[in-house]
Amino acid sequence: MLETLDFSLRKLSNFNRIGVCYSGGVDSHVLLHLLSRKLLTTKNLYALHVNHGISAQSDKWKKHSEKICRDLDIKFTSFDLNLSKKRNINENYLREARYKAIASWSKPGDILCTAHHKDDQVETILFRILRGTGINGLRGIPYKRESSGVVFLRPLIRFSKKEIIKYASLNNLEWVEDESNENTSISRNFIRKELLPLVRRKWPKYRDALEHISSHARDSSNLLDQLADEDIEKCVASSFNELSIANISLLSKLRISNMLYRWLTLQSMEGVTYSLIKEIQENLLWTKDDSDPIITFGSKSKVKSVQLRKFNNILFLLPTSSGCYIKNYSPIVWDLNEPLNLPTGLLKAYESTGEGLSLLSSQNKVEVRFREGGERCRPIGRNKSQTLKRLLQEYSVPPWKRSRLPLIYVNGRLAAVADLWVCGKFSTKKKYKGISFKWKDNLFNKHDLRR
C-alpha cells in the first residue's frame, strides 16, 4: 500500500528544497499529495510544472495544477516552453526540454522527485531491449541518481500503476488526462497499449521476469564498474581527464572497453555509446601520434561537445573549444602588480632570484598578446633563436594548448612565453632579482569535465 511508503523523511530533510515534477496527471498528483501528508512541513516543498504549449489543453492543465497546489498549500512554479510552433518534435526532444527546464530550478542542496513507478520501469526496460541496449540499459530507472549536480529521486518506483490509481480514488484526487497518452505512434504508448497486453496473455508474470533481469543487470554492472574504477586508477596520468595509453595497452580488449565507458560516463558526458568506444579503440588509441586523430562527440552545440585526442602517448578528454585560436585580441598593457585575467586563464607575476624577466626590462612597457604566427625566441642557454612553433613542439606542449598561451612582450618584442621560458635578452642574471610568471589555464573551469 502506498500509505506505508517510506519516503526516508530523515534523508529528505537534509535537502534545502524538495521539487516535485508535477504535470497534473494521476502519478505526479499522488506523489505530491503523499509528500504533502508525509512530510513534517511543506514550507520547502515545490510543485514544478512544465507547460509545453503543444496541446490545446495545456493552459487548462496549468490552471488545474496551480489550483491543486493552492489547496495543498504548496508553492507552484511553471515553466512555459511554448513549443507549439516547433517542428520535428519527438519523445526525446520533449523529455530533454522538460528535464532541462526542471533542472534549471535546482540549486546545490535541492532534490527533484519524479513520479516514475513500477510500470514505467517495466516499459523502460522493454523499450531499451527493443532498441538494442547494453547491460547498463537493463538496469532500468534508478531509485536515485545524480546528473550534473542535480539529484533525482523516484519515491514511487517500487509501486504499480494499479496501486497509484487506488490511492487516488480512495483520496478523491482529481487529475488531468493527457490525450497524447492514447497516441500509439509514440513508442512508449505503443508498448503500453499494444505490446504489453499481448505479452501479458502469454506470460502473465512478465513484470517479475523483467525486474529479475534488471536486478541481475544492476549487480553485474556494479561489478563491472568496480573493475573499471581499478583500471582507471592504474591508467590516470596527471589528471582525471588524461589516461596513459601505455598502461591502457596492458589491459585486455574487453577491460579497455569497460574502462573507457566508465571513464567517460563518470564525467557526465552525453552520447557515450559502445560504438563510440569501438571507434576510440580502432581510430584513436593505436594510431601514430603525428596523425593527430580527433574524435568529437556529445552535444551538437560546439560549446558543450567534447573531443578525445592523444599526444605523447596520453589520451586526453577535452572541450571541443580547447584548440580555438584567440582572434583579434588587442594587446593588453600589464603593470605586473596585479593578476591578469585573460580569455584562456590567469597570469600572475612574482618576484624571484636568478631567474625570470629582468627588473630593468619589467620597468618598460609590458604587454600581453596571443600567437599570430612567425614569433621567435631564444631561451636561456641557446645560441640562436628559433620559431615559437618549433620550440613548443620541442617542449612537448600539446597542440591545443599552444594557441592558449599568453605571450609577454617588452617594448614590442617577445620577452617570455607564459611560465615556460624567458627569451635570453630579457632574462635576469644569476643572484639578481627578477620577475617570474605563473600561468593557470582555465580550460576546464568553464566546462563540466571532472578533473
Side-chain angles (χ1 to χ4, degrees):
M1 291 289 293
L2 278 173
E3 287 287 3
T4 63
L5 178 62
D6 175 16
F7 276 105
S8 301
L9 300 183
R10 181 176 58 83
K11 292 182 179 179
L12 276 180
S13 64
N14 293 332
F15 293 92
N16 298 330
R17 299 184 301 169
I18 303 167
V20 176
C21 302
Y22 180 53
S23 67
V26 63
D27 303 333
S28 58
H29 193 162
V30 165
L31 176 59
L32 190 67
H33 188 267
L34 265 169
L35 280 174
S36 70
R37 293 177 58 182
K38 294 283 186 177
L39 292 174
L40 298 177
T41 177
T42 60
K43 68 178 183 180
N44 63 339
L45 184 61
Y46 295 76
L48 309 176
H49 179 82
V50 177
N51 181 3
H52 295 103
I54 296 176
S55 171
Q57 305 295 317
S58 293
D59 291 336
K60 181 180 178 181
W61 296 339
K62 176 181 174 180
K63 290 179 181 178
H64 167 85
S65 300
E66 196 168 8
K67 178 182 181 301
I68 294 297
C69 291
R70 280 199 305 270
D71 294 341
L72 293 174
D73 194 25
I74 294 172
K75 301 177 187 68
F76 177 82
T77 299
S78 177
F79 301 89
D80 298 317
L81 303 185
N82 298 318
L83 300 178
S84 59
K85 296 182 180 180
K86 290 276 186 179
R87 295 183 178 180
N88 301 322
I89 294 179
N90 54 32
E91 298 171 69
N92 288 333
Y93 183 91
L94 287 175
R95 183 169 62 253
E96 289 177 6
R98 184 164 58 249
Y99 270 84
K100 183 178 180 181
I102 295 296
S104 69
W105 172 88
S106 181
K107 299 177 182 178
D110 295 342
I111 190 168
L112 293 173
C113 296
T114 66
H116 292 92
H117 48 76
K118 185 184 290 187
D119 292 55
D120 290 326
Q121 180 76 286
V122 169
E123 292 167 11
T124 296
I125 293 171
L126 187 56
F127 178 56
R128 290 176 178 175
I129 289 174
L130 295 173
R131 286 198 310 175
T133 188
I135 192 169
N136 284 317
L138 292 177
R139 297 174 67 162
I141 305 170
Y143 174 70
K144 183 180 179 181
R145 76 177 178 94
E146 184 173 346
S147 176
S148 300
V150 181
V151 182
F152 292 91
L153 186 73
R154 281 84 178 212
L156 304 182
I157 200 65
R158 299 183 182 94
F159 296 86
S160 68
K161 182 78 169 187
K162 184 177 180 181
E163 291 174 289
I164 290 173
I165 295 293
K166 183 176 181 180
Y167 177 94
S169 299
L170 289 174
N171 290 275
N172 298 315
L173 302 185
E174 297 179 6
W175 62 89
V176 299
E177 293 285 355
D178 187 343
E179 71 275 5
S180 68
N181 289 334
E182 302 299 318
N183 181 3
T184 55
S185 67
I186 299 175
S187 300
R188 291 180 183 273
N189 291 344
F190 179 83
I191 290 173
R192 184 184 311 121
K193 297 287 185 180
E194 303 286 345
L195 184 56
L196 286 180
L198 294 174
V199 173
R200 190 181 301 115
R201 276 164 34 192
K202 181 66 175 178
W203 297 281
K205 293 186 177 181
Y206 73 93
R207 287 189 178 90
D208 295 337
L210 288 175
E211 286 183 10
H212 180 73
I213 291 174
S214 178
S215 176
H216 276 278
R218 284 193 294 271
D219 291 342
S220 299
S221 186
N222 287 336
L223 284 173
L224 289 172
D225 286 347
Q226 290 177 25
L227 178 62
D229 289 342
E230 293 176 5
D231 289 338
I232 290 171
E233 188 175 351
K234 297 173 184 176
C235 295
V236 164
S238 60
S239 65
F240 195 81
N241 65 296
E242 303 174 14
L243 296 182
S244 164
I245 295 176
N247 290 349
I248 292 175
S249 67
L250 300 177
L251 302 174
S252 68
K253 187 174 181 179
L254 289 176
R255 286 178 67 164
I256 292 173
S257 297
N258 183 51
M259 185 268 291
L260 289 175
Y261 186 90
R262 174 72 169 167
W263 180 59
L264 294 174
T265 54
L266 275 175
Q267 303 186 79
S268 301
M269 295 295 101
E270 297 179 0
V272 181
T273 63
Y274 283 103
S275 60
L276 170 66
I277 302 304
K278 183 178 179 181
E279 182 184 2
I280 293 170
Q281 293 193 68
E282 293 181 351
N283 302 326
L284 180 60
L285 280 183
W286 318 125
T287 58
K288 294 181 179 180
D289 266 356
D290 55 12
S291 64
D292 193 22
I294 300 174
I295 294 178
T296 302
F297 67 99
S299 171
K300 292 182 180 179
S301 166
K302 187 175 182 180
V303 175
K304 295 183 179 180
S305 64
V306 293
Q307 62 180 208
L308 285 157
R309 299 179 71 167
K310 60 182 292 189
F311 183 74
N312 278 2
N313 217 27
I314 299 293
L315 178 66
F316 293 85
L317 180 64
L318 305 162
T320 299
S321 58
S322 58
C324 294
Y325 283 85
I326 307 299
K327 297 179 180 179
N328 302 320
Y329 191 80
S330 300
I332 292 181
V333 177
W334 187 27
D335 66 6
L336 305 178
N337 292 317
E338 297 293 333
L340 185 61
N341 276 302
L342 296 166
T344 57
L346 182 66
L347 182 64
K348 294 181 179 180
Y350 63 93
E351 190 176 279
S352 57
T353 301
E355 62 180 10
L357 189 72
S358 69
L359 289 180
L360 182 63
S361 296
S362 68
Q363 294 169 8
N364 291 287
K365 182 181 180 181
V366 178
E367 293 179 326
V368 175
R369 308 178 187 179
F370 288 95
R371 287 184 67 191
E372 294 181 354
E375 298 90 353
R376 299 183 69 88
C377 177
R378 181 178 64 81
I380 299 172
R382 302 260 179 148
N383 294 324
K384 60 180 181 179
S385 68
Q386 288 181 299
T387 63
L388 185 55
K389 178 180 179 179
R390 176 67 63 85
L391 287 170
L392 292 172
Q393 291 173 344
E394 185 179 330
Y395 278 76
S396 295
V397 178
W400 55 90
K401 288 187 177 181
R402 296 170 190 171
S403 62
R404 301 177 59 84
L405 294 171
L407 307 183
I408 299 155
Y409 281 74
V410 173
N411 290 337
R413 297 178 64 187
L414 180 60
V417 178
D419 52 7
L420 295 178
W421 60 79
V422 173
C423 299
K425 290 184 178 180
F426 299 92
S427 62
T428 191
K429 297 179 180 180
K430 291 182 179 180
K431 299 182 180 180
Y432 281 80
K433 295 290 184 181
I435 300 294
S436 291
F437 303 101
K438 184 176 182 180
W439 166 244
K440 185 176 182 181
D441 197 303
N442 64 9
L443 180 59
F444 296 98
N445 294 357
K446 299 178 180 180
H447 300 270
D448 292 332
L449 300 186
R450 171 180 164 180
R451 297 207 67 178

